[in-house]
Amino acid sequence: MAYSAEISREQPTAFLFLLDQSASMQDRFGGAEQKGDAAPSKARVLSDTVNRLMQNLVLRCAKEDGVRDYFHIGVIGYGERVQPLIEPGESVQNSTGLIPISHLAERPKRMDERLREVDTGDGRTEEKRVKVPVWFDPHAKNGTPMCQALDLAAQSVRTWIDQHPHSFPPVVLNVTDGEATDGEPLRYAQQLRSFATDDGEVLLFNVHLSSSEAPSVELPSAPGELPRTDEYAETLYQMSSTLPFSMRAAAEQEGYTVNLDTRGFVFNADPVALVRFLEIGTRPSNLR
C-alpha cells in the first residue's frame, strides 16, 4: 500500500512549509477589524503557529539519546522575496533546503517568552510564561509569488528524494491568503506532485486563510463543497493531494468525516482551523 513506509533515522520523511508573506498578510483574520478586535495579523498568527508546530515536531523526535532525525524540515517564505526562512548550520552539508530536525532543535533564532496554558498536574491548566524557540519572524510585503515558491519547493524535494528514494514522500504545506500574482499555480503544483519516492508521490496540501466571515470549508471531498462563486477555491482544491490513509485516520480522530477522495485543503481557515489542519498534515505514519 502506498504511503506506508516506516519512518526512521535511516528513512526519514520531510515537511516543507510554504508561507505567504505578501502585504495582505498584515490584515487580520476575517471580520476581526470590523468587530474592533485587537487581533494579531495573519502573518503573526501564521509564524507563531508554524514555530510552535516545529517545536512539537522536535518533541516528537526527542528520545533519551537526543533528538532523532525522523524528520527534515524546510520553510520558504514568498512575498517581497522567495527565500528559505531557516538555514542549516555550518556543520550541515545540505543542498536541499530541508534540515535534519536535530540541527533545527539546536539552532533556533532566539528564545522568546510567551503565555501558554500549562497543565498543573491535577486536571487543571493555568497560564504561565514559558520560553519558546523562534526560528523565523512574520513578514508581509509586496505580492504573492506562489508559482516561484512552488518551483523552488519542487527543486528542493526532487533533490531530497534523490537522497532518500525509499522514504515516506515529502509533505509540502502551502498557506496563503490570496491568489498568485506571478502566473497560474496549478501547473507548478502538478509538477511538484509528480516527484515520488518508492512509497508515493509528493503530498501537497493547501490552506487558504480567511479574509471574510464566511465559514471554513475543511477537507472537502468534491468541488461541489466549495463556494460556487469562488474560482480560486477550486484552483487550490485541484492543487491539493488526497489524504493518505494515515492522515485520514488522524482526521477522523479530530472528528472529520473523510473518504478516499478527501483532499488536504482548507478554504477560509480561521486560526483554529489552521492549527487543526497543520497537525493532521504532519502526521504521516508511525515512527519506528
Side-chain angles (χ1 to χ4, degrees):
M1 182 176 65
Y3 302 106
S4 59
E6 187 175 61
I7 296 169
S8 65
R9 284 172 288 187
E10 292 72 33
Q11 287 187 195
T13 192
F15 297 116
L16 177 55
F17 300 92
L18 309 183
L19 307 183
D20 186 343
Q21 294 189 318
S22 61
S24 60
M25 291 291 288
Q26 296 178 56
D27 299 338
R28 291 164 175 76
F29 278 87
E33 287 179 317
Q34 289 82 352
K35 295 174 184 174
D37 296 343
S41 67
K42 286 180 279 189
R44 167 59 67 186
V45 172
L46 180 57
S47 68
D48 285 353
T49 298
V50 176
N51 273 301
R52 186 167 186 175
L53 177 60
M54 288 162 62
Q55 182 187 19
N56 289 341
L57 292 174
V58 168
L59 293 174
R60 283 169 61 185
C61 296
K63 306 295 180 183
E64 289 184 0
D65 58 347
V67 176
R68 297 181 180 177
D69 287 325
Y70 297 133
F71 305 141
H72 293 184
I73 308 293
V75 184
I76 293 172
Y78 59 97
E80 184 178 16
R81 290 178 295 276
V82 177
Q83 61 182 352
L85 300 183
I86 56 174
E87 298 285 356
E90 293 180 3
S91 62
V92 181
Q93 298 298 316
N94 190 301
S95 59
T96 68
L98 292 158
I99 302 167
I101 198 163
S102 64
H103 295 273
L104 194 74
E106 294 166 1
R107 295 173 181 83
K109 184 177 182 179
R110 64 176 185 278
M111 299 295 289
D112 277 359
E113 274 199 357
R114 300 285 172 87
L115 279 174
R116 291 278 170 86
E117 291 284 336
V118 177
D119 191 344
T120 59
D122 57 0
R124 295 180 301 147
T125 60
E126 63 181 21
E127 276 197 339
K128 284 189 175 180
R129 287 197 170 274
V130 297
K131 286 194 174 293
V132 297
V134 175
W135 285 277
F136 66 93
D137 291 302
H139 191 73
K141 193 172 183 180
N142 290 9
T144 311
M146 187 187 302
C147 297
Q148 292 180 58
L150 290 166
D151 190 48
L152 181 57
Q155 297 173 43
S156 181
V157 301
R158 180 175 58 187
T159 304
W160 190 90
I161 286 170
D162 287 344
Q163 299 172 7
H164 305 88
H166 309 301
S167 290
F168 190 101
V171 180
V172 182
L173 299 112
N174 177 42
V175 187
T176 181
D177 76 335
E179 299 185 32
T181 55
D182 64 341
E184 170 49 62
L186 180 57
R187 69 183 184 91
Y188 289 91
Q190 290 169 335
Q191 177 194 40
L192 173 61
R193 289 171 51 190
S194 71
F195 299 115
T197 67
D198 295 346
D199 194 47
E201 293 183 342
V202 169
L203 293 166
L204 172 60
F205 302 142
N206 291 278
V207 181
H208 172 268
L209 301 183
S210 176
S211 297
S212 72
E213 292 187 87
S216 298
V217 178
E218 302 180 53
L219 305 184
S221 299
E225 298 175 37
L226 305 171
R228 293 182 180 179
T229 57
D230 201 313
E231 293 182 7
Y232 189 58
E234 184 160 353
T235 296
L236 287 171
Y237 173 85
Q238 296 295 343
M239 287 167 58
S240 303
S241 303
T242 55
L243 290 179
F245 172 78
S246 58
M247 294 183 189
R248 292 200 305 273
E252 287 178 336
Q253 288 176 0
E254 294 292 332
Y256 290 101
T257 300
V258 296
N259 58 41
L260 292 174
D261 297 319
T262 298
R263 301 232 180 177
F265 174 44
V266 179
F267 189 72
N268 263 348
D270 59 17
V272 173
L274 170 66
V275 171
R276 190 162 50 201
F277 178 72
L278 291 181
E279 288 288 343
I280 291 169
T282 51
R283 287 188 234 165
S285 66
N286 292 326
L287 305 182
R288 180 180 295 178

Coordinates of all heavy atoms in Angstrom, one line a residue, residues 187-266:
R187 N -0.2 24.4 -12.6 CA 0.8 23.6 -13.3 C 2.1 23.4 -12.5 O 2.7 22.3 -12.6 CB 1.1 24.1 -14.7 CG 1.9 25.4 -14.7 CD 2.0 25.9 -16.2 NE 2.8 27.1 -16.3 CZ 4.1 27.1 -16.5 NH1 4.8 25.9 -16.6 NH2 4.8 28.2 -16.6
Y188 N 2.4 24.4 -11.7 CA 3.6 24.2 -10.8 C 3.3 23.2 -9.7 O 4.1 22.5 -9.3 CB 3.9 25.6 -10.2 CG 4.5 26.6 -11.2 CD1 3.7 27.4 -11.9 CD2 5.9 26.6 -11.4 CE1 4.3 28.3 -12.8 CE2 6.4 27.5 -12.3 CZ 5.6 28.3 -13.0 OH 6.2 29.2 -13.9
A189 N 2.0 23.2 -9.2 CA 1.6 22.3 -8.2 C 1.6 20.8 -8.8 O 2.1 19.9 -8.1 CB 0.2 22.6 -7.7
Q190 N 1.2 20.7 -10.0 CA 1.2 19.4 -10.7 C 2.6 18.9 -10.9 O 2.9 17.7 -10.7 CB 0.4 19.4 -12.0 CG -1.1 19.6 -11.8 CD -1.8 20.0 -13.1 OE1 -1.2 20.5 -14.0 NE2 -3.1 19.7 -13.2
Q191 N 3.5 19.8 -11.2 CA 4.9 19.4 -11.4 C 5.5 18.9 -10.0 O 6.2 17.9 -9.9 CB 5.8 20.5 -11.9 CG 7.2 20.2 -12.0 CD 8.1 21.4 -12.2 OE1 7.9 22.5 -11.6 NE2 9.1 21.3 -13.1
L192 N 5.2 19.7 -9.0 CA 5.7 19.3 -7.6 C 5.2 18.0 -7.2 O 5.9 17.1 -6.7 CB 5.2 20.4 -6.7 CG 5.5 20.2 -5.2 CD1 7.0 20.1 -4.9 CD2 4.9 21.3 -4.4
R193 N 3.9 17.7 -7.5 CA 3.3 16.4 -7.0 C 3.7 15.3 -7.9 O 3.5 14.1 -7.5 CB 1.8 16.6 -7.0 CG 1.2 17.5 -5.9 CD -0.3 17.8 -6.1 NE -1.0 16.6 -6.3 CZ -2.3 16.6 -6.7 NH1 -2.9 17.7 -6.9 NH2 -2.9 15.4 -6.9
S194 N 4.4 15.5 -9.0 CA 4.8 14.4 -9.9 C 6.0 13.7 -9.4 O 6.3 12.6 -9.8 CB 5.0 15.0 -11.3 OG 6.2 15.8 -11.4
F195 N 6.8 14.4 -8.5 CA 8.0 13.7 -8.0 C 7.6 12.7 -6.9 O 6.6 12.9 -6.2 CB 9.0 14.7 -7.4 CG 9.5 15.7 -8.4 CD1 9.1 17.1 -8.3 CD2 10.2 15.3 -9.5 CE1 9.6 18.0 -9.2 CE2 10.7 16.2 -10.4 CZ 10.3 17.6 -10.3
A196 N 8.3 11.6 -6.9 CA 7.9 10.5 -6.0 C 9.1 9.7 -5.5 O 10.1 9.5 -6.1 CB 6.9 9.6 -6.7
T197 N 8.9 9.1 -4.3 CA 9.8 8.1 -3.8 C 9.1 6.7 -4.1 O 8.0 6.7 -4.7 CB 9.9 8.1 -2.2 OG1 8.6 7.8 -1.6 CG2 10.4 9.5 -1.8
D198 N 9.7 5.6 -3.7 CA 9.1 4.3 -4.0 C 7.8 4.2 -3.3 O 7.0 3.4 -3.6 CB 10.0 3.2 -3.4 CG 11.4 3.1 -4.2 OD1 11.5 3.7 -5.2 OD2 12.3 2.4 -3.6
D199 N 7.5 5.0 -2.3 CA 6.3 4.9 -1.4 C 5.2 5.8 -1.9 O 4.1 5.6 -1.4 CB 6.7 5.3 0.0 CG 5.7 4.9 1.0 OD1 5.2 3.7 1.0 OD2 5.3 5.7 1.9
G200 N 5.4 6.7 -2.8 CA 4.3 7.5 -3.3 C 4.8 8.9 -3.7 O 5.9 9.3 -3.6
E201 N 3.8 9.6 -4.4 CA 4.1 10.9 -4.9 C 4.2 12.0 -3.7 O 3.6 11.8 -2.7 CB 3.1 11.4 -5.9 CG 3.1 10.6 -7.2 CD 2.1 11.1 -8.2 OE1 1.2 11.8 -7.8 OE2 2.2 10.7 -9.4
V202 N 4.9 13.1 -4.0 CA 4.9 14.2 -3.0 C 3.5 14.6 -2.7 O 2.6 14.7 -3.6 CB 5.7 15.4 -3.6 CG1 5.5 16.6 -2.8 CG2 7.2 15.0 -3.8
L203 N 3.2 14.9 -1.4 CA 1.9 15.3 -1.0 C 1.9 16.9 -0.9 O 2.8 17.4 -0.2 CB 1.6 14.7 0.4 CG 1.3 13.2 0.4 CD1 1.3 12.6 1.8 CD2 0.0 12.9 -0.3
L204 N 1.0 17.5 -1.5 CA 0.9 19.0 -1.4 C -0.5 19.3 -0.8 O -1.5 18.9 -1.4 CB 1.0 19.6 -2.8 CG 0.7 21.1 -2.9 CD1 1.6 21.9 -2.0 CD2 0.7 21.6 -4.3
F205 N -0.5 20.0 0.3 CA -1.7 20.4 1.0 C -1.7 21.9 1.0 O -0.7 22.6 1.0 CB -1.7 19.9 2.4 CG -1.7 18.4 2.5 CD1 -1.0 17.8 3.5 CD2 -2.3 17.6 1.6 CE1 -0.9 16.4 3.7 CE2 -2.3 16.2 1.7 CZ -1.5 15.6 2.7
N206 N -2.9 22.5 0.9 CA -3.1 23.9 0.8 C -4.1 24.4 1.9 O -5.1 23.8 2.1 CB -3.6 24.3 -0.6 CG -2.6 24.1 -1.6 OD1 -1.7 25.0 -1.9 ND2 -2.7 23.0 -2.3
V207 N -3.7 25.6 2.5 CA -4.6 26.2 3.5 C -4.8 27.7 3.0 O -3.8 28.4 2.9 CB -4.0 26.2 4.9 CG1 -5.0 26.9 5.9 CG2 -3.7 24.8 5.4
H208 N -6.1 28.0 2.8 CA -6.4 29.4 2.5 C -6.9 30.1 3.7 O -7.9 29.7 4.3 CB -7.5 29.4 1.4 CG -8.0 30.8 1.1 ND1 -9.1 31.3 1.7 CD2 -7.6 31.7 0.2 CE1 -9.4 32.5 1.3 NE2 -8.5 32.8 0.4
L209 N -6.2 31.2 4.1 CA -6.6 31.9 5.3 C -7.7 32.9 5.1 O -7.8 33.5 4.1 CB -5.4 32.7 5.9 CG -4.1 31.8 6.2 CD1 -3.0 32.7 6.8 CD2 -4.5 30.7 7.1
S210 N -8.6 32.9 6.0 CA -9.9 33.7 5.9 C -9.6 35.2 5.8 O -8.9 35.8 6.6 CB -10.8 33.4 7.1 OG -11.9 34.2 7.0
S211 N -10.3 35.8 4.8 CA -10.3 37.2 4.6 C -11.8 37.7 4.8 O -12.1 38.9 4.6 CB -9.8 37.7 3.3 OG -8.4 37.3 3.1
S212 N -12.7 36.8 5.1 CA -14.1 37.2 5.3 C -14.6 36.4 6.5 O -13.9 35.6 7.1 CB -14.9 36.9 4.1 OG -15.0 35.5 4.0
E213 N -15.9 36.7 6.8 CA -16.5 35.9 7.9 C -17.2 34.7 7.4 O -17.9 34.0 8.2 CB -17.5 36.8 8.6 CG -16.9 38.0 9.4 CD -17.9 38.7 10.2 OE1 -18.1 38.3 11.4 OE2 -18.4 39.7 9.7
A214 N -17.0 34.3 6.1 CA -17.6 33.1 5.6 C -17.1 31.9 6.4 O -15.9 31.9 6.8 CB -17.3 33.0 4.1
P215 N -17.9 30.8 6.5 CA -17.5 29.7 7.2 C -16.3 28.9 6.5 O -16.2 29.0 5.3 CB -18.7 28.8 7.3 CG -19.6 29.2 6.2 CD -19.3 30.7 6.0
S216 N -15.5 28.2 7.3 CA -14.4 27.4 6.7 C -15.0 26.2 6.0 O -16.0 25.7 6.3 CB -13.5 27.0 7.8 OG -12.9 28.0 8.4
V217 N -14.3 25.8 4.9 CA -14.5 24.5 4.2 C -13.3 23.7 4.5 O -12.2 24.0 4.0 CB -14.8 24.7 2.7 CG1 -15.0 23.3 2.1 CG2 -15.9 25.6 2.4
E218 N -13.5 22.6 5.3 CA -12.3 21.9 5.7 C -12.4 20.5 5.2 O -13.4 19.8 5.3 CB -12.3 21.8 7.3 CG -12.2 23.2 7.9 CD -12.2 23.1 9.4 OE1 -11.3 22.4 10.0 OE2 -13.0 23.7 10.1
L219 N -11.3 20.0 4.5 CA -11.1 18.7 4.0 C -12.2 18.3 3.1 O -12.9 17.3 3.3 CB -10.9 17.7 5.1 CG -9.8 18.0 6.1 CD1 -9.7 16.8 7.1 CD2 -8.5 18.2 5.4
P220 N -12.5 19.0 2.0 CA -13.6 18.7 1.1 C -13.2 17.4 0.3 O -12.1 17.1 0.1 CB -13.7 19.9 0.2 CG -12.3 20.5 0.2 CD -11.8 20.3 1.6
S221 N -14.3 16.7 -0.2 CA -14.1 15.5 -1.0 C -14.6 15.7 -2.4 O -14.4 14.8 -3.2 CB -14.9 14.3 -0.3 OG -14.3 14.1 1.0
A222 N -15.2 16.9 -2.7 CA -15.7 17.2 -4.1 C -15.7 18.7 -4.2 O -15.9 19.4 -3.3 CB -17.0 16.6 -4.3
P223 N -15.5 19.2 -5.5 CA -15.6 20.6 -5.7 C -16.9 21.2 -5.4 O -17.0 22.4 -5.0 CB -15.4 20.7 -7.3 CG -14.7 19.5 -7.6 CD -15.2 18.4 -6.7
G224 N -18.0 20.4 -5.4 CA -19.3 21.0 -5.0 C -19.4 21.5 -3.6 O -20.4 22.2 -3.2
E225 N -18.5 21.1 -2.7 CA -18.5 21.5 -1.3 C -17.9 22.9 -1.2 O -18.0 23.5 -0.1 CB -17.7 20.6 -0.5 CG -18.3 19.2 -0.4 CD -17.4 18.2 0.3 OE1 -16.8 18.6 1.4 OE2 -17.3 17.0 -0.1
L226 N -17.3 23.5 -2.3 CA -16.6 24.8 -2.2 C -17.6 25.9 -2.5 O -18.7 25.6 -3.1 CB -15.5 24.8 -3.2 CG -14.4 23.7 -3.1 CD1 -13.5 23.8 -4.3 CD2 -13.7 23.9 -1.8
P227 N -17.3 27.2 -2.2 CA -18.2 28.3 -2.6 C -18.4 28.3 -4.1 O -17.4 28.3 -4.8 CB -17.5 29.5 -2.0 CG -16.6 29.0 -1.0 CD -16.2 27.6 -1.4
R228 N -19.6 28.4 -4.6 CA -19.8 28.3 -6.0 C -19.2 29.5 -6.8 O -18.9 29.3 -8.0 CB -21.3 28.2 -6.3 CG -21.9 26.9 -5.8 CD -23.4 26.8 -6.2 NE -24.0 25.6 -5.7 CZ -25.3 25.3 -5.9 NH1 -26.1 26.2 -6.5 NH2 -25.8 24.2 -5.4
T229 N -19.1 30.6 -6.2 CA -18.7 31.8 -6.9 C -17.2 32.1 -6.8 O -16.7 33.1 -7.3 CB -19.4 33.1 -6.3 OG1 -19.1 33.1 -4.9 CG2 -20.9 33.0 -6.5
D230 N -16.5 31.2 -6.2 CA -15.0 31.4 -6.0 C -14.2 30.5 -6.8 O -14.0 29.3 -6.4 CB -14.7 31.3 -4.5 CG -13.4 32.0 -4.2 OD1 -12.4 31.8 -4.9 OD2 -13.3 32.7 -3.2
E231 N -13.7 30.9 -8.0 CA -12.9 30.1 -8.9 C -11.6 29.7 -8.2 O -11.0 28.7 -8.5 CB -12.7 30.8 -10.2 CG -13.9 30.9 -11.1 CD -13.6 31.6 -12.4 OE1 -12.4 31.8 -12.7 OE2 -14.6 31.9 -13.1
Y232 N -11.0 30.6 -7.4 CA -9.7 30.4 -6.8 C -9.8 29.2 -5.8 O -8.8 28.5 -5.7 CB -9.2 31.7 -6.2 CG -7.8 31.5 -5.7 CD1 -6.8 31.2 -6.7 CD2 -7.4 31.7 -4.4 CE1 -5.4 31.0 -6.3 CE2 -6.1 31.5 -4.0 CZ -5.1 31.2 -5.0 OH -3.8 31.0 -4.6
A233 N -10.9 29.1 -5.1 CA -11.1 28.0 -4.2 C -10.9 26.7 -5.0 O -10.3 25.7 -4.5 CB -12.4 28.1 -3.5
E234 N -11.5 26.6 -6.2 CA -11.4 25.4 -7.0 C -10.0 25.1 -7.4 O -9.5 24.0 -7.5 CB -12.4 25.4 -8.2 CG -12.3 24.1 -8.9 CD -13.5 23.8 -9.8 OE1 -14.5 24.6 -9.7 OE2 -13.5 22.8 -10.5
T235 N -9.3 26.2 -7.8 CA -7.8 26.1 -8.2 C -7.0 25.4 -7.0 O -6.3 24.5 -7.2 CB -7.2 27.4 -8.6 OG1 -7.9 27.9 -9.7 CG2 -5.8 27.3 -8.9
L236 N -7.2 26.0 -5.8 CA -6.5 25.4 -4.7 C -6.9 24.0 -4.4 O -6.0 23.1 -4.0 CB -6.7 26.3 -3.4 CG -6.0 27.6 -3.4 CD1 -6.4 28.5 -2.3 CD2 -4.4 27.5 -3.4
Y237 N -8.2 23.7 -4.6 CA -8.6 22.3 -4.4 C -8.0 21.4 -5.4 O -7.5 20.3 -5.0 CB -10.2 22.3 -4.6 CG -10.8 20.9 -4.6 CD1 -11.1 20.3 -3.4 CD2 -11.0 20.2 -5.8 CE1 -11.7 19.0 -3.4 CE2 -11.6 19.0 -5.8 CZ -11.9 18.4 -4.7 OH -12.5 17.1 -4.7
Q238 N -7.9 21.8 -6.7 CA -7.3 20.9 -7.7 C -5.8 20.8 -7.4 O -5.2 19.8 -7.8 CB -7.5 21.5 -9.1 CG -8.9 21.6 -9.5 CD -9.6 20.2 -9.7 OE1 -8.9 19.2 -9.8 NE2 -10.9 20.2 -9.7
M239 N -5.1 21.8 -6.8 CA -3.7 21.7 -6.5 C -3.4 20.7 -5.4 O -2.3 20.3 -5.3 CB -3.2 23.1 -6.1 CG -3.1 24.1 -7.2 SD -2.8 25.8 -6.5 CE -1.3 25.6 -5.5
S240 N -4.4 20.4 -4.6 CA -4.2 19.6 -3.3 C -4.3 18.1 -3.5 O -5.1 17.6 -4.3 CB -5.2 20.1 -2.3 OG -5.2 21.5 -2.1
S241 N -3.4 17.4 -2.8 CA -3.4 15.9 -2.9 C -4.5 15.4 -2.0 O -5.0 16.0 -1.1 CB -2.0 15.4 -2.3 OG -0.9 16.0 -3.0
T242 N -4.9 14.2 -2.4 CA -5.9 13.4 -1.5 C -5.1 13.0 -0.3 O -3.9 12.7 -0.3 CB -6.5 12.3 -2.2 OG1 -5.5 11.4 -2.7 CG2 -7.4 12.7 -3.4
L243 N -5.8 12.8 0.8 CA -5.2 12.4 2.1 C -4.9 10.9 2.0 O -5.7 10.1 1.7 CB -6.1 12.7 3.3 CG -6.3 14.1 3.7 CD1 -7.3 14.2 4.9 CD2 -5.0 14.8 4.1
P244 N -3.6 10.5 2.4 CA -3.3 9.1 2.5 C -4.0 8.5 3.8 O -4.5 9.3 4.6 CB -1.8 9.0 2.6 CG -1.4 10.3 3.1 CD -2.4 11.3 2.6
F245 N -4.0 7.2 3.9 CA -4.7 6.5 4.9 C -4.4 7.0 6.3 O -5.2 7.3 7.1 CB -4.4 5.0 4.9 CG -5.0 4.3 6.1 CD1 -6.3 4.0 6.1 CD2 -4.2 3.9 7.1 CE1 -6.9 3.3 7.2 CE2 -4.7 3.2 8.2 CZ -6.0 2.9 8.3
S246 N -3.1 7.2 6.6 CA -2.7 7.6 8.0 C -3.2 8.9 8.4 O -3.6 9.2 9.5 CB -1.1 7.6 8.1 OG -0.5 8.5 7.2
M247 N -3.3 9.8 7.4 CA -3.8 11.2 7.7 C -5.3 11.2 7.7 O -5.9 12.0 8.4 CB -3.3 12.2 6.7 CG -1.8 12.4 6.8 SD -1.1 13.6 5.7 CE 0.7 13.4 5.9
R248 N -6.0 10.3 6.9 CA -7.4 10.2 7.1 C -7.8 9.7 8.5 O -8.7 10.2 9.1 CB -8.0 9.2 6.0 CG -7.9 9.7 4.6 CD -8.9 9.0 3.7 NE -8.8 7.6 3.7 CZ -7.9 6.9 2.9 NH1 -7.1 7.5 2.1 NH2 -7.9 5.6 3.0
A249 N -7.0 8.8 9.0 CA -7.2 8.3 10.3 C -7.0 9.4 11.3 O -7.8 9.5 12.3 CB -6.3 7.1 10.6
A250 N -6.0 10.2 11.2 CA -5.8 11.4 12.1 C -7.0 12.3 12.0 O -7.4 12.9 13.0 CB -4.5 12.1 11.7
A251 N -7.5 12.6 10.8 CA -8.6 13.5 10.6 C -9.9 12.9 11.3 O -10.6 13.7 11.9 CB -8.9 13.7 9.1
E252 N -10.1 11.6 11.2 CA -11.2 11.0 11.8 C -11.1 11.2 13.3 O -12.1 11.4 14.0 CB -11.4 9.6 11.4 CG -11.9 9.4 10.0 CD -11.9 7.9 9.6 OE1 -11.2 7.1 10.2 OE2 -12.7 7.6 8.7
Q253 N -9.9 11.1 13.9 CA -9.7 11.3 15.3 C -10.1 12.7 15.8 O -10.5 12.9 16.9 CB -8.3 10.9 15.7 CG -7.9 9.5 15.6 CD -6.5 9.2 15.9 OE1 -5.7 10.1 16.2 NE2 -6.1 7.9 15.9
E254 N -9.9 13.6 14.8 CA -10.3 15.0 15.1 C -11.8 15.3 14.9 O -12.2 16.5 15.0 CB -9.4 16.0 14.3 CG -7.9 15.9 14.6 CD -7.6 16.5 16.0 OE1 -8.4 17.4 16.4 OE2 -6.7 16.1 16.6
G255 N -12.5 14.3 14.4 CA -14.0 14.5 14.3 C -14.4 14.8 12.8 O -15.6 15.0 12.6
Y256 N -13.5 14.7 11.9 CA -13.9 15.0 10.5 C -14.5 13.7 9.9 O -14.1 12.6 10.2 CB -12.7 15.4 9.6 CG -12.1 16.7 10.0 CD1 -10.9 16.8 10.7 CD2 -12.7 17.9 9.4 CE1 -10.4 18.1 11.0 CE2 -12.1 19.1 9.7 CZ -11.0 19.2 10.5 OH -10.4 20.4 10.8
T257 N -15.4 13.9 8.9 CA -15.9 12.8 8.1 C -15.1 12.8 6.8 O -15.1 13.8 6.0 CB -17.4 13.0 7.8 OG1 -18.1 13.0 9.0 CG2 -17.9 11.9 6.9
V258 N -14.4 11.7 6.5 CA -13.5 11.7 5.3 C -13.7 10.4 4.6 O -14.3 9.5 5.0 CB -12.0 11.8 5.8 CG1 -11.7 13.1 6.5 CG2 -11.6 10.6 6.7
N259 N -13.2 10.4 3.3 CA -13.3 9.2 2.4 C -12.1 9.2 1.5 O -11.2 10.0 1.7 CB -14.6 9.2 1.6 CG -14.8 10.4 0.8 OD1 -13.8 10.9 0.1 ND2 -16.0 11.0 0.7
L260 N -12.1 8.3 0.6 CA -10.9 8.1 -0.3 C -10.6 9.3 -1.1 O -9.5 9.5 -1.7 CB -11.1 6.9 -1.2 CG -11.1 5.5 -0.5 CD1 -11.4 4.4 -1.4 CD2 -9.7 5.3 0.2
D261 N -11.6 10.2 -1.3 CA -11.5 11.4 -2.2 C -11.2 12.7 -1.4 O -11.0 13.7 -2.0 CB -12.8 11.6 -3.0 CG -13.1 10.5 -4.0 OD1 -12.1 9.9 -4.6 OD2 -14.2 10.0 -4.1
T262 N -11.1 12.6 -0.1 CA -10.9 13.8 0.7 C -9.5 14.4 0.4 O -8.5 13.7 0.4 CB -11.0 13.4 2.2 OG1 -12.3 13.0 2.5 CG2 -10.7 14.7 3.1
R263 N -9.5 15.7 0.2 CA -8.3 16.4 -0.2 C -7.7 17.2 1.0 O -8.5 17.6 1.9 CB -8.5 17.4 -1.3 CG -9.1 16.7 -2.6 CD -8.3 17.1 -3.8 NE -8.8 16.4 -5.0 CZ -8.4 16.6 -6.2 NH1 -7.3 17.4 -6.4 NH2 -8.9 16.0 -7.2
G264 N -6.4 17.3 1.0 CA -5.7 18.1 2.1 C -5.8 19.6 1.8 O -4.9 20.2 1.3
F265 N -7.0 20.1 2.0 CA -7.3 21.5 1.7 C -8.3 22.1 2.7 O -9.3 21.5 3.0 CB -7.9 21.6 0.2 CG -8.3 22.9 -0.2 CD1 -7.6 24.1 0.0 CD2 -9.6 23.1 -0.9 CE1 -8.0 25.3 -0.4 CE2 -10.0 24.3 -1.3 CZ -9.2 25.4 -1.1
V266 N -8.0 23.3 3.1 CA -8.9 24.1 3.9 C -9.1 25.5 3.2 O -8.1 26.1 2.9 CB -8.5 24.3 5.3 CG1 -9.5 25.1 6.2 CG2 -8.2 22.9 6.0

